[in-house]
Amino acid sequence: MVPGAVLRGVTLDCADPQTLAGFYGALTGMRELFSADEFVALTDDSGCDLGFQRVDGYRAPQWPGQDVPQQFHLDFRADDLDAMEELALGLGAAKPDYQPGDGRWRVLLDPAGHPFCLTSS
């Protein structure tokens, strides 16, 4: 049997880890596990934490353009897409004009410019 790797977490580059962690903590209900000037980690005891690390000269990805590629994005399931979109926008997310998927999901940009999706499935 080949040992399997278990995803322990995902870390996003950003200019301000505390601000971005505050956004995702409020959006997801995750709580702070660790905080320092250069790195903040959130957890919800699922075994997969979300981290935010300061990067000097951080440049936000461009959506949908690829001048600065997105490289990855997070997907969040929401029971009520409209309510979750409203919450995210109220927390500082932005909604770009380009919305693929015929309404099956919504693409938003977090306060650091990372695209993320809200989906009902």
Side-chain angles (χ1 to χ4, degrees):
M1 181 174 187
V2 177
V6 176
L7 182 62
R8 178 67 184 94
V10 175
T11 299
L12 285 74
D13 292 347
C14 60
D16 184 348
Q18 286 74 23
T19 297
L20 201 55
F23 170 81
Y24 280 107
L27 184 71
T28 65
M30 295 176 84
R31 68 183 182 284
E32 190 175 282
L33 175 66
F34 174 83
S35 180
D37 289 341
E38 302 298 316
F39 184 83
V40 178
L42 300 177
T43 191
D44 62 2
D45 298 323
S46 68
C48 187
D49 298 335
L50 194 52
F52 309 91
Q53 67 183 1
R54 182 183 316 279
V55 172
D56 293 333
Y58 170 76
R59 291 180 15 178
Q62 302 299 304
W63 173 261
Q66 294 297 306
D67 291 336
V68 181
Q70 64 181 347
Q71 300 179 6
F72 75 94
H73 69 267
L74 301 173
D75 291 334
F76 296 98
R77 185 180 66 242
D79 293 331
D80 183 331
L81 280 176
D82 292 331
M84 187 57 71
E85 179 181 326
E86 184 178 334
L87 172 64
L89 294 172
L91 292 169
K95 186 173 182 179
D97 292 333
Y98 179 66
Q99 293 291 317
D102 299 325
R104 293 174 292 167
W105 63 83
R106 316 241 173 106
V107 178
L108 301 177
L109 306 175
D110 72 20
H114 301 109
F116 67 96
C117 293
L118 301 175
T119 180
S120 59
S121 57

